[in-house]
Amino acid sequence: MIKKTLSTTLALVAMALASLAQQPVQVKGELKRPNRPNVKLFKVANGRTVEIANAAVSAGKKFGFTFYPDYEGVYVIGTGNELSPNENYAFYFKGGEQLDITLADTTYTLNGKLNSKENMVMKQWSELTNPLYQKAINFMGKNSTFMDYFPQQEAIVAKAKTFLNGKATGNTKFDKQMKDIIELDLANYATNFLNTPRSAHPSLEEYSDFYSTLKANEMGKSAQKIYSYPYGMRVLSALVGVNMRQDKKPYKSGIEGLETSTAYVPNDTLKGELVLENLARYKNHDEYKAVADHFEKYIVTKAQKEKNNALITPLLSYKPGTDALQFTYPDKTGKDVSFASLKGKVVLVDVWATWCGPCRAEFPYLKQLEKDIEGQPIQVVSISTDADKDKEKWLKMIKDENLGGMQLFAGQNNEFSKYYKVNTIPRFLVFDKKGKIVSIDSARPSDPKLKALLLAEAVK
């Protein structure tokens, strides 16, 4: 009987959690900031804010959002942008909440009694730290210098140590994350204050005591901690700069400079984020490639690889002899096949899709080409750009048409098509035995020139 009761209770809890995850968040509010026609909603992704909704403000200054949260955690609402915390405030949503707010020039208020315990705690924290937020973030026109800011910062940092006493919400995930928010908010204000225009700037000897406690090698241990905070990468990058200043290490560009700055961050994933921030400044392909290759062991997540490809693509010349994209896609059995594994062979890549008539028209010629090059160090790789929903159709066509070569599935909006700017298909690309570009827009199998090109590369 006890087991049955426990089982039933667990099932009800699971159902409640599943139901909660599917419930929308309802936000309504009033905007009392002049000359701001819109209020924006941002999610947090990899330590940065990403705008997901934009509500026009009515004639009565009202606005609202209804959305299903992608995750339980921090979201941002305000009249600012994705790049900085100016005019933006953080809230916590898990699904099912109602938020009623008024956004004013220098703060926000919670209206009514339906706001969650989590957002009530975040409001109390915002009230405590608002003086720092205004002077460090919304600093334009404030004319604050370190002489008035540092004493206020030290006083608020002292109060922050006991802020959470008696404020447990019953949401253990929030209560844990709130500790990180407090730490990162204070670091955000402290570093941003130093890095923004002031009429007077402190010397290292004039830094207040709080700066001696801010260490990138401590803050940068956990990627999840940085990734979950709206301005995580901004804070980490700024903190590295402050620590370098404290250690009297000059800023240097290129590989040497990145070696110095990344040494302050122990987490390899976060090192990769710092590398990509640096790479975004490059305008020359060869310089970019040299730095990217040197630090490639840190560019490991899917998002980082996509960012790397997006940054380098505009710089590419696609000249013969330049490096090809290192891709990996599953074959028809689901096994991942990498471009690197084909080194030592000339590679012909055929980009196609099941819905593409001209692609199917090349099938007979491609089959004949495969017969003609049999025994040569040449590998034909067909990459499908079909939508995921059409994967079974792709598998059926491979079988029905008796397609040979190596069949890989990349899907729509894949990195290969973006990298080589494949806007129309079929598209055929040739790479040499060393993985270098021969041609990114070669002749089709129906043209004898393709066979001649492949055989010429095969004997090199």
Side-chain angles (χ1 to χ4, degrees), residues 144-179:
S144 174
T145 71
F146 69 95
M147 289 178 283
D148 66 90
Y149 180 81
F150 283 173
Q152 198 166 35
Q153 177 172 262
E154 293 300 320
I156 290 175
V157 167
K159 292 179 181 178
K161 292 176 182 178
T162 58
F163 171 77
L164 288 176
N165 291 353
K167 292 185 175 67
T169 63
N171 182 342
T172 55
K173 182 174 182 179
F174 168 78
D175 293 342
K176 181 177 182 297
Q177 188 171 355
M178 191 64 211
K179 294 177 182 178

PDB file of all heavy atoms in Angstrom, residues 144-179:
ATOM      1  N   SER A 144      29.398  60.289 -12.423  1.00  0.00           N
ATOM      2  CA  SER A 144      29.919  59.626 -11.230  1.00  0.00           C
ATOM      3  C   SER A 144      31.377  59.252 -11.452  1.00  0.00           C
ATOM      4  O   SER A 144      31.767  58.817 -12.544  1.00  0.00           O
ATOM      5  CB  SER A 144      29.101  58.363 -10.943  1.00  0.00           C
ATOM      6  OG  SER A 144      29.671  57.629  -9.886  1.00  0.00           O
ATOM      7  N   THR A 145      32.208  59.401 -10.437  1.00  0.00           N
ATOM      8  CA  THR A 145      33.605  58.974 -10.509  1.00  0.00           C
ATOM      9  C   THR A 145      33.863  57.978  -9.380  1.00  0.00           C
ATOM     10  O   THR A 145      33.010  57.746  -8.519  1.00  0.00           O
ATOM     11  CB  THR A 145      34.569  60.158 -10.361  1.00  0.00           C
ATOM     12  OG1 THR A 145      34.527  60.627  -9.008  1.00  0.00           O
ATOM     13  CG2 THR A 145      34.219  61.274 -11.331  1.00  0.00           C
ATOM     14  N   PHE A 146      35.060  57.405  -9.399  1.00  0.00           N
ATOM     15  CA  PHE A 146      35.403  56.395  -8.400  1.00  0.00           C
ATOM     16  C   PHE A 146      35.328  56.946  -6.975  1.00  0.00           C
ATOM     17  O   PHE A 146      35.135  56.196  -6.012  1.00  0.00           O
ATOM     18  CB  PHE A 146      36.790  55.825  -8.683  1.00  0.00           C
ATOM     19  CG  PHE A 146      37.936  56.772  -8.455  1.00  0.00           C
ATOM     20  CD1 PHE A 146      38.626  56.774  -7.251  1.00  0.00           C
ATOM     21  CD2 PHE A 146      38.334  57.663  -9.451  1.00  0.00           C
ATOM     22  CE1 PHE A 146      39.694  57.635  -7.049  1.00  0.00           C
ATOM     23  CE2 PHE A 146      39.397  58.525  -9.252  1.00  0.00           C
ATOM     24  CZ  PHE A 146      40.077  58.526  -8.042  1.00  0.00           C
ATOM     25  N   MET A 147      35.452  58.247  -6.829  1.00  0.00           N
ATOM     26  CA  MET A 147      35.463  58.825  -5.484  1.00  0.00           C
ATOM     27  C   MET A 147      34.110  58.698  -4.786  1.00  0.00           C
ATOM     28  O   MET A 147      34.039  58.535  -3.574  1.00  0.00           O
ATOM     29  CB  MET A 147      35.906  60.292  -5.567  1.00  0.00           C
ATOM     30  CG  MET A 147      37.387  60.435  -5.895  1.00  0.00           C
ATOM     31  SD  MET A 147      37.924  62.153  -6.062  1.00  0.00           S
ATOM     32  CE  MET A 147      37.288  62.536  -7.705  1.00  0.00           C
ATOM     33  N   ASP A 148      33.011  58.742  -5.553  1.00  0.00           N
ATOM     34  CA  ASP A 148      31.704  58.512  -4.932  1.00  0.00           C
ATOM     35  C   ASP A 148      31.229  57.075  -5.133  1.00  0.00           C
ATOM     36  O   ASP A 148      30.470  56.549  -4.307  1.00  0.00           O
ATOM     37  CB  ASP A 148      30.651  59.489  -5.486  1.00  0.00           C
ATOM     38  CG  ASP A 148      30.369  59.254  -6.959  1.00  0.00           C
ATOM     39  OD1 ASP A 148      29.467  58.463  -7.281  1.00  0.00           O
ATOM     40  OD2 ASP A 148      31.058  59.874  -7.788  1.00  0.00           O
ATOM     41  N   TYR A 149      31.713  56.416  -6.188  1.00  0.00           N
ATOM     42  CA  TYR A 149      31.234  55.074  -6.504  1.00  0.00           C
ATOM     43  C   TYR A 149      31.842  54.010  -5.587  1.00  0.00           C
ATOM     44  O   TYR A 149      31.132  53.131  -5.085  1.00  0.00           O
ATOM     45  CB  TYR A 149      31.542  54.729  -7.967  1.00  0.00           C
ATOM     46  CG  TYR A 149      31.074  53.359  -8.370  1.00  0.00           C
ATOM     47  CD1 TYR A 149      29.741  53.126  -8.708  1.00  0.00           C
ATOM     48  CD2 TYR A 149      31.948  52.275  -8.407  1.00  0.00           C
ATOM     49  CE1 TYR A 149      29.290  51.866  -9.056  1.00  0.00           C
ATOM     50  CE2 TYR A 149      31.512  51.008  -8.764  1.00  0.00           C
ATOM     51  CZ  TYR A 149      30.184  50.810  -9.087  1.00  0.00           C
ATOM     52  OH  TYR A 149      29.746  49.555  -9.422  1.00  0.00           O
ATOM     53  N   PHE A 150      33.150  54.068  -5.364  1.00  0.00           N
ATOM     54  CA  PHE A 150      33.810  53.012  -4.599  1.00  0.00           C
ATOM     55  C   PHE A 150      33.245  52.848  -3.181  1.00  0.00           C
ATOM     56  O   PHE A 150      32.974  51.726  -2.744  1.00  0.00           O
ATOM     57  CB  PHE A 150      35.315  53.244  -4.548  1.00  0.00           C
ATOM     58  CG  PHE A 150      36.037  52.880  -5.828  1.00  0.00           C
ATOM     59  CD1 PHE A 150      37.384  53.170  -5.979  1.00  0.00           C
ATOM     60  CD2 PHE A 150      35.375  52.249  -6.868  1.00  0.00           C
ATOM     61  CE1 PHE A 150      38.057  52.841  -7.152  1.00  0.00           C
ATOM     62  CE2 PHE A 150      36.031  51.917  -8.051  1.00  0.00           C
ATOM     63  CZ  PHE A 150      37.384  52.221  -8.195  1.00  0.00           C
ATOM     64  N   PRO A 151      33.038  53.926  -2.421  1.00  0.00           N
ATOM     65  CA  PRO A 151      32.455  53.747  -1.079  1.00  0.00           C
ATOM     66  C   PRO A 151      31.070  53.107  -1.126  1.00  0.00           C
ATOM     67  O   PRO A 151      30.737  52.253  -0.296  1.00  0.00           O
ATOM     68  CB  PRO A 151      32.392  55.179  -0.530  1.00  0.00           C
ATOM     69  CG  PRO A 151      33.447  55.915  -1.277  1.00  0.00           C
ATOM     70  CD  PRO A 151      33.428  55.336  -2.654  1.00  0.00           C
ATOM     71  N   GLN A 152      30.261  53.516  -2.114  1.00  0.00           N
ATOM     72  CA  GLN A 152      28.921  52.950  -2.244  1.00  0.00           C
ATOM     73  C   GLN A 152      29.001  51.471  -2.621  1.00  0.00           C
ATOM     74  O   GLN A 152      28.231  50.642  -2.124  1.00  0.00           O
ATOM     75  CB  GLN A 152      28.143  53.742  -3.300  1.00  0.00           C
ATOM     76  CG  GLN A 152      26.646  53.542  -3.224  1.00  0.00           C
ATOM     77  CD  GLN A 152      25.909  54.582  -4.051  1.00  0.00           C
ATOM     78  OE1 GLN A 152      26.377  55.015  -5.108  1.00  0.00           O
ATOM     79  NE2 GLN A 152      24.741  54.996  -3.575  1.00  0.00           N
ATOM     80  N   GLN A 153      29.935  51.147  -3.498  1.00  0.00           N
ATOM     81  CA  GLN A 153      30.122  49.754  -3.908  1.00  0.00           C
ATOM     82  C   GLN A 153      30.504  48.891  -2.708  1.00  0.00           C
ATOM     83  O   GLN A 153      29.945  47.802  -2.512  1.00  0.00           O
ATOM     84  CB  GLN A 153      31.209  49.663  -4.983  1.00  0.00           C
ATOM     85  CG  GLN A 153      31.521  48.235  -5.434  1.00  0.00           C
ATOM     86  CD  GLN A 153      32.459  48.215  -6.616  1.00  0.00           C
ATOM     87  OE1 GLN A 153      32.022  48.094  -7.750  1.00  0.00           O
ATOM     88  NE2 GLN A 153      33.752  48.339  -6.359  1.00  0.00           N
ATOM     89  N   GLU A 154      31.437  49.351  -1.884  1.00  0.00           N
ATOM     90  CA  GLU A 154      31.879  48.575  -0.732  1.00  0.00           C
ATOM     91  C   GLU A 154      30.731  48.352   0.248  1.00  0.00           C
ATOM     92  O   GLU A 154      30.590  47.260   0.818  1.00  0.00           O
ATOM     93  CB  GLU A 154      33.041  49.283  -0.032  1.00  0.00           C
ATOM     94  CG  GLU A 154      34.318  49.347  -0.853  1.00  0.00           C
ATOM     95  CD  GLU A 154      34.872  47.981  -1.218  1.00  0.00           C
ATOM     96  OE1 GLU A 154      34.837  47.077  -0.354  1.00  0.00           O
ATOM     97  OE2 GLU A 154      35.338  47.812  -2.369  1.00  0.00           O
ATOM     98  N   ALA A 155      29.894  49.364   0.435  1.00  0.00           N
ATOM     99  CA  ALA A 155      28.765  49.237   1.361  1.00  0.00           C
ATOM    100  C   ALA A 155      27.750  48.212   0.861  1.00  0.00           C
ATOM    101  O   ALA A 155      27.233  47.391   1.637  1.00  0.00           O
ATOM    102  CB  ALA A 155      28.092  50.596   1.554  1.00  0.00           C
ATOM    103  N   ILE A 156      27.467  48.232  -0.435  1.00  0.00           N
ATOM    104  CA  ILE A 156      26.484  47.302  -1.000  1.00  0.00           C
ATOM    105  C   ILE A 156      27.049  45.891  -1.058  1.00  0.00           C
ATOM    106  O   ILE A 156      26.331  44.910  -0.809  1.00  0.00           O
ATOM    107  CB  ILE A 156      26.023  47.806  -2.386  1.00  0.00           C
ATOM    108  CG1 ILE A 156      25.172  49.067  -2.204  1.00  0.00           C
ATOM    109  CG2 ILE A 156      25.234  46.725  -3.121  1.00  0.00           C
ATOM    110  CD1 ILE A 156      24.755  49.743  -3.496  1.00  0.00           C
ATOM    111  N   VAL A 157      28.320  45.749  -1.364  1.00  0.00           N
ATOM    112  CA  VAL A 157      28.959  44.425  -1.360  1.00  0.00           C
ATOM    113  C   VAL A 157      28.863  43.809   0.036  1.00  0.00           C
ATOM    114  O   VAL A 157      28.597  42.608   0.180  1.00  0.00           O
ATOM    115  CB  VAL A 157      30.434  44.524  -1.807  1.00  0.00           C
ATOM    116  CG1 VAL A 157      31.185  43.234  -1.498  1.00  0.00           C
ATOM    117  CG2 VAL A 157      30.514  44.818  -3.311  1.00  0.00           C
ATOM    118  N   ALA A 158      29.046  44.611   1.065  1.00  0.00           N
ATOM    119  CA  ALA A 158      28.935  44.116   2.438  1.00  0.00           C
ATOM    120  C   ALA A 158      27.515  43.630   2.729  1.00  0.00           C
ATOM    121  O   ALA A 158      27.309  42.567   3.336  1.00  0.00           O
ATOM    122  CB  ALA A 158      29.343  45.210   3.421  1.00  0.00           C
ATOM    123  N   LYS A 159      26.513  44.376   2.290  1.00  0.00           N
ATOM    124  CA  LYS A 159      25.115  43.985   2.503  1.00  0.00           C
ATOM    125  C   LYS A 159      24.755  42.734   1.694  1.00  0.00           C
ATOM    126  O   LYS A 159      23.914  41.935   2.105  1.00  0.00           O
ATOM    127  CB  LYS A 159      24.182  45.131   2.127  1.00  0.00           C
ATOM    128  CG  LYS A 159      24.266  46.334   3.057  1.00  0.00           C
ATOM    129  CD  LYS A 159      23.318  47.447   2.604  1.00  0.00           C
ATOM    130  CE  LYS A 159      23.419  48.667   3.523  1.00  0.00           C
ATOM    131  NZ  LYS A 159      22.543  49.771   3.078  1.00  0.00           N
ATOM    132  N   ALA A 160      25.401  42.582   0.540  1.00  0.00           N
ATOM    133  CA  ALA A 160      25.100  41.436  -0.330  1.00  0.00           C
ATOM    134  C   ALA A 160      25.437  40.107   0.334  1.00  0.00           C
ATOM    135  O   ALA A 160      24.835  39.080   0.018  1.00  0.00           O
ATOM    136  CB  ALA A 160      25.869  41.572  -1.642  1.00  0.00           C
ATOM    137  N   LYS A 161      26.377  40.118   1.252  1.00  0.00           N
ATOM    138  CA  LYS A 161      26.814  38.871   1.901  1.00  0.00           C
ATOM    139  C   LYS A 161      25.699  38.236   2.717  1.00  0.00           C
ATOM    140  O   LYS A 161      25.681  37.021   2.906  1.00  0.00           O
ATOM    141  CB  LYS A 161      28.024  39.161   2.794  1.00  0.00           C
ATOM    142  CG  LYS A 161      29.269  39.550   2.002  1.00  0.00           C
ATOM    143  CD  LYS A 161      30.429  39.917   2.911  1.00  0.00           C
ATOM    144  CE  LYS A 161      31.645  40.343   2.083  1.00  0.00           C
ATOM    145  NZ  LYS A 161      32.779  40.761   2.943  1.00  0.00           N
ATOM    146  N   THR A 162      24.778  39.027   3.199  1.00  0.00           N
ATOM    147  CA  THR A 162      23.665  38.481   3.989  1.00  0.00           C
ATOM    148  C   THR A 162      22.318  38.676   3.300  1.00  0.00           C
ATOM    149  O   THR A 162      21.269  38.440   3.895  1.00  0.00           O
ATOM    150  CB  THR A 162      23.617  39.163   5.372  1.00  0.00           C
ATOM    151  OG1 THR A 162      23.481  40.591   5.206  1.00  0.00           O
ATOM    152  CG2 THR A 162      24.889  38.864   6.162  1.00  0.00           C
ATOM    153  N   PHE A 163      22.336  39.092   2.038  1.00  0.00           N
ATOM    154  CA  PHE A 163      21.091  39.422   1.340  1.00  0.00           C
ATOM    155  C   PHE A 163      20.114  38.254   1.302  1.00  0.00           C
ATOM    156  O   PHE A 163      18.899  38.427   1.469  1.00  0.00           O
ATOM    157  CB  PHE A 163      21.385  39.892  -0.083  1.00  0.00           C
ATOM    158  CG  PHE A 163      20.152  40.047  -0.937  1.00  0.00           C
ATOM    159  CD1 PHE A 163      19.327  41.145  -0.793  1.00  0.00           C
ATOM    160  CD2 PHE A 163      19.787  39.062  -1.849  1.00  0.00           C
ATOM    161  CE1 PHE A 163      18.161  41.277  -1.548  1.00  0.00           C
ATOM    162  CE2 PHE A 163      18.632  39.187  -2.612  1.00  0.00           C
ATOM    163  CZ  PHE A 163      17.819  40.299  -2.458  1.00  0.00           C
ATOM    164  N   LEU A 164      20.604  37.045   1.079  1.00  0.00           N
ATOM    165  CA  LEU A 164      19.717  35.895   0.890  1.00  0.00           C
ATOM    166  C   LEU A 164      19.208  35.298   2.202  1.00  0.00           C
ATOM    167  O   LEU A 164      18.385  34.383   2.169  1.00  0.00           O
ATOM    168  CB  LEU A 164      20.428  34.816   0.073  1.00  0.00           C
ATOM    169  CG  LEU A 164      20.631  35.130  -1.415  1.00  0.00           C
ATOM    170  CD1 LEU A 164      21.425  34.037  -2.092  1.00  0.00           C
ATOM    171  CD2 LEU A 164      19.293  35.333  -2.119  1.00  0.00           C
ATOM    172  N   ASN A 165      19.684  35.783   3.316  1.00  0.00           N
ATOM    173  CA  ASN A 165      19.207  35.262   4.603  1.00  0.00           C
ATOM    174  C   ASN A 165      17.698  35.430   4.724  1.00  0.00           C
ATOM    175  O   ASN A 165      17.162  36.527   4.583  1.00  0.00           O
ATOM    176  CB  ASN A 165      19.890  35.985   5.769  1.00  0.00           C
ATOM    177  CG  ASN A 165      21.372  35.644   5.860  1.00  0.00           C
ATOM    178  OD1 ASN A 165      21.867  34.790   5.145  1.00  0.00           O
ATOM    179  ND2 ASN A 165      22.077  36.316   6.762  1.00  0.00           N
ATOM    180  N   GLY A 166      17.015  34.317   4.961  1.00  0.00           N
ATOM    181  CA  GLY A 166      15.561  34.357   5.121  1.00  0.00           C
ATOM    182  C   GLY A 166      14.793  34.528   3.832  1.00  0.00           C
ATOM    183  O   GLY A 166      13.596  34.807   3.860  1.00  0.00           O
ATOM    184  N   LYS A 167      15.465  34.377   2.688  1.00  0.00           N
ATOM    185  CA  LYS A 167      14.779  34.604   1.404  1.00  0.00           C
ATOM    186  C   LYS A 167      14.649  33.333   0.561  1.00  0.00           C
ATOM    187  O   LYS A 167      14.478  33.408  -0.654  1.00  0.00           O
ATOM    188  CB  LYS A 167      15.515  35.676   0.593  1.00  0.00           C
ATOM    189  CG  LYS A 167      15.426  37.082   1.200  1.00  0.00           C
ATOM    190  CD  LYS A 167      16.063  38.102   0.284  1.00  0.00           C
ATOM    191  CE  LYS A 167      15.869  39.523   0.824  1.00  0.00           C
ATOM    192  NZ  LYS A 167      16.609  39.738   2.075  1.00  0.00           N
ATOM    193  N   ALA A 168      14.725  32.170   1.169  1.00  0.00           N
ATOM    194  CA  ALA A 168      14.545  30.922   0.419  1.00  0.00           C
ATOM    195  C   ALA A 168      13.141  30.884  -0.177  1.00  0.00           C
ATOM    196  O   ALA A 168      12.156  31.138   0.516  1.00  0.00           O
ATOM    197  CB  ALA A 168      14.768  29.727   1.321  1.00  0.00           C
ATOM    198  N   THR A 169      13.049  30.586  -1.465  1.00  0.00           N
ATOM    199  CA  THR A 169      11.753  30.615  -2.164  1.00  0.00           C
ATOM    200  C   THR A 169      11.079  29.257  -2.226  1.00  0.00           C
ATOM    201  O   THR A 169       9.909  29.162  -2.605  1.00  0.00           O
ATOM    202  CB  THR A 169      11.951  31.111  -3.614  1.00  0.00           C
ATOM    203  OG1 THR A 169      12.786  30.174  -4.317  1.00  0.00           O
ATOM    204  CG2 THR A 169      12.594  32.490  -3.628  1.00  0.00           C
ATOM    205  N   GLY A 170      11.830  28.202  -1.896  1.00  0.00           N
ATOM    206  CA  GLY A 170      11.301  26.857  -2.081  1.00  0.00           C
ATOM    207  C   GLY A 170      11.668  26.282  -3.431  1.00  0.00           C
ATOM    208  O   GLY A 170      11.501  25.090  -3.683  1.00  0.00           O
ATOM    209  N   ASN A 171      12.199  27.119  -4.318  1.00  0.00           N
ATOM    210  CA  ASN A 171      12.699  26.678  -5.618  1.00  0.00           C
ATOM    211  C   ASN A 171      14.213  26.554  -5.500  1.00  0.00           C
ATOM    212  O   ASN A 171      14.938  27.541  -5.569  1.00  0.00           O
ATOM    213  CB  ASN A 171      12.321  27.697  -6.697  1.00  0.00           C
ATOM    214  CG  ASN A 171      12.778  27.286  -8.093  1.00  0.00           C
ATOM    215  OD1 ASN A 171      13.648  26.438  -8.254  1.00  0.00           O
ATOM    216  ND2 ASN A 171      12.191  27.898  -9.107  1.00  0.00           N
ATOM    217  N   THR A 172      14.688  25.334  -5.298  1.00  0.00           N
ATOM    218  CA  THR A 172      16.117  25.128  -5.036  1.00  0.00           C
ATOM    219  C   THR A 172      16.985  25.543  -6.217  1.00  0.00           C
ATOM    220  O   THR A 172      18.104  26.029  -6.022  1.00  0.00           O
ATOM    221  CB  THR A 172      16.397  23.663  -4.687  1.00  0.00           C
ATOM    222  OG1 THR A 172      15.888  22.814  -5.731  1.00  0.00           O
ATOM    223  CG2 THR A 172      15.745  23.280  -3.369  1.00  0.00           C
ATOM    224  N   LYS A 173      16.468  25.378  -7.432  1.00  0.00           N
ATOM    225  CA  LYS A 173      17.242  25.771  -8.608  1.00  0.00           C
ATOM    226  C   LYS A 173      17.436  27.287  -8.631  1.00  0.00           C
ATOM    227  O   LYS A 173      18.534  27.787  -8.882  1.00  0.00           O
ATOM    228  CB  LYS A 173      16.543  25.316  -9.890  1.00  0.00           C
ATOM    229  CG  LYS A 173      17.327  25.660 -11.158  1.00  0.00           C
ATOM    230  CD  LYS A 173      16.691  25.062 -12.398  1.00  0.00           C
ATOM    231  CE  LYS A 173      17.524  25.393 -13.628  1.00  0.00           C
ATOM    232  NZ  LYS A 173      16.947  24.789 -14.871  1.00  0.00           N
ATOM    233  N   PHE A 174      16.365  28.021  -8.369  1.00  0.00           N
ATOM    234  CA  PHE A 174      16.471  29.479  -8.329  1.00  0.00           C
ATOM    235  C   PHE A 174      17.373  29.934  -7.190  1.00  0.00           C
ATOM    236  O   PHE A 174      18.223  30.823  -7.365  1.00  0.00           O
ATOM    237  CB  PHE A 174      15.094  30.126  -8.171  1.00  0.00           C
ATOM    238  CG  PHE A 174      15.178  31.590  -7.839  1.00  0.00           C
ATOM    239  CD1 PHE A 174      15.447  32.530  -8.820  1.00  0.00           C
ATOM    240  CD2 PHE A 174      15.018  32.042  -6.524  1.00  0.00           C
ATOM    241  CE1 PHE A 174      15.546  33.882  -8.517  1.00  0.00           C
ATOM    242  CE2 PHE A 174      15.117  33.386  -6.206  1.00  0.00           C
ATOM    243  CZ  PHE A 174      15.388  34.302  -7.212  1.00  0.00           C
ATOM    244  N   ASP A 175      17.172  29.360  -6.000  1.00  0.00           N
ATOM    245  CA  ASP A 175      17.959  29.782  -4.841  1.00  0.00           C
ATOM    246  C   ASP A 175      19.449  29.609  -5.098  1.00  0.00           C
ATOM    247  O   ASP A 175      20.261  30.447  -4.687  1.00  0.00           O
ATOM    248  CB  ASP A 175      17.537  28.986  -3.603  1.00  0.00           C
ATOM    249  CG  ASP A 175      16.111  29.323  -3.151  1.00  0.00           C
ATOM    250  OD1 ASP A 175      15.606  30.379  -3.573  1.00  0.00           O
ATOM    251  OD2 ASP A 175      15.526  28.532  -2.396  1.00  0.00           O
ATOM    252  N   LYS A 176      19.807  28.539  -5.808  1.00  0.00           N
ATOM    253  CA  LYS A 176      21.216  28.314  -6.150  1.00  0.00           C
ATOM    254  C   LYS A 176      21.680  29.319  -7.197  1.00  0.00           C
ATOM    255  O   LYS A 176      22.755  29.904  -7.079  1.00  0.00           O
ATOM    256  CB  LYS A 176      21.412  26.886  -6.666  1.00  0.00           C
ATOM    257  CG  LYS A 176      22.841  26.539  -7.040  1.00  0.00           C
ATOM    258  CD  LYS A 176      22.937  25.082  -7.480  1.00  0.00           C
ATOM    259  CE  LYS A 176      24.381  24.715  -7.818  1.00  0.00           C
ATOM    260  NZ  LYS A 176      24.917  25.478  -8.956  1.00  0.00           N
ATOM    261  N   GLN A 177      20.863  29.526  -8.225  1.00  0.00           N
ATOM    262  CA  GLN A 177      21.266  30.447  -9.282  1.00  0.00           C
ATOM    263  C   GLN A 177      21.317  31.886  -8.782  1.00  0.00           C
ATOM    264  O   GLN A 177      22.115  32.691  -9.273  1.00  0.00           O
ATOM    265  CB  GLN A 177      20.328  30.345 -10.486  1.00  0.00           C
ATOM    266  CG  GLN A 177      20.840  31.153 -11.689  1.00  0.00           C
ATOM    267  CD  GLN A 177      20.061  30.900 -12.962  1.00  0.00           C
ATOM    268  OE1 GLN A 177      19.181  30.051 -13.009  1.00  0.00           O
ATOM    269  NE2 GLN A 177      20.388  31.639 -14.005  1.00  0.00           N
ATOM    270  N   MET A 178      20.484  32.219  -7.803  1.00  0.00           N
ATOM    271  CA  MET A 178      20.485  33.589  -7.283  1.00  0.00           C
ATOM    272  C   MET A 178      21.845  33.942  -6.689  1.00  0.00           C
ATOM    273  O   MET A 178      22.289  35.094  -6.775  1.00  0.00           O
ATOM    274  CB  MET A 178      19.374  33.748  -6.235  1.00  0.00           C
ATOM    275  CG  MET A 178      19.125  35.199  -5.843  1.00  0.00           C
ATOM    276  SD  MET A 178      18.522  36.208  -7.215  1.00  0.00           S
ATOM    277  CE  MET A 178      19.204  37.811  -6.790  1.00  0.00           C
ATOM    278  N   LYS A 179      22.531  32.960  -6.120  1.00  0.00           N
ATOM    279  CA  LYS A 179      23.871  33.206  -5.585  1.00  0.00           C
ATOM    280  C   LYS A 179      24.823  33.604  -6.714  1.00  0.00           C
ATOM    281  O   LYS A 179      25.658  34.499  -6.549  1.00  0.00           O
ATOM    282  CB  LYS A 179      24.383  31.965  -4.862  1.00  0.00           C
ATOM    283  CG  LYS A 179      23.602  31.608  -3.609  1.00  0.00           C
ATOM    284  CD  LYS A 179      24.127  30.325  -2.972  1.00  0.00           C
ATOM    285  CE  LYS A 179      23.312  29.951  -1.746  1.00  0.00           C
ATOM    286  NZ  LYS A 179      23.787  28.686  -1.136  1.00  0.00           N
TER     287      LYS A 179
END
